[in-house]
Amino acid sequence: RLVVGGFDRVYELGRIFRNEGISTRHNPEFTSLELYQAYADFEDMMDLTETLIAGAAQVSAGTTVLTYGEVEVDLTPPWRRVTMADLVKEAIPDFDFYALLSDADGLSKARAAAAAAGVPDAADAPS
């Protein structure tokens, strides 16, 4: 409503708790950031996300290069932008998501490729 009313950028920070049961691998409490920007496309949102995360890292850690366990993570923009289909193609060169679009048996081929790549329960995954 605010965007329609003339505010070109609107954001909301939300503290969220979901009563989804107890698990050692799942935390039902989290904070979200929801934002809208008039006249912005997905490229603008990606730029904004990069700037926000890199800025938060710089302010909180004094750098945009962080260590997570044994891995060094560089949050310095610009980040690599690539489709999921292209990432799968890099990991499994013989598999092409784009070819599945025109293949009547594409879903079963995708399940088989995922199972062959070691994705748990891939053969039983719903569409």
Side-chain angles (χ1 to χ4, degrees), residues 1-10 36 38:
R1 290 180 188 170
L2 291 172
V3 172
V4 171
F7 287 84
D8 64 343
R9 296 179 187 187
V10 179
Y36 302 93

Side-chain angles (χ1 to χ4, degrees), residues 46-117:
M46 287 191 287
D47 291 341
L48 182 74
T49 301
E50 286 178 354
T51 302
L52 179 68
I53 292 174
Q58 185 67 46
V59 168
S60 63
T63 181
T64 56
V65 181
L66 308 172
T67 302
Y68 180 76
E70 302 291 322
V71 179
E72 188 175 85
V73 180
D74 187 354
L75 299 173
T76 307
W79 300 345
R80 180 178 179 210
R81 296 180 183 184
V82 62
T83 67
M84 187 223 32
D86 290 337
L87 288 172
V88 170
K89 185 78 171 163
E90 287 177 17
I92 311 170
D94 296 333
F95 186 75
D96 184 2
F97 266 111
Y98 299 117
L100 296 178
L101 296 175
S102 59
D103 190 335
D105 199 31
L107 181 58
S108 63
K109 289 180 180 177
R111 286 181 179 141

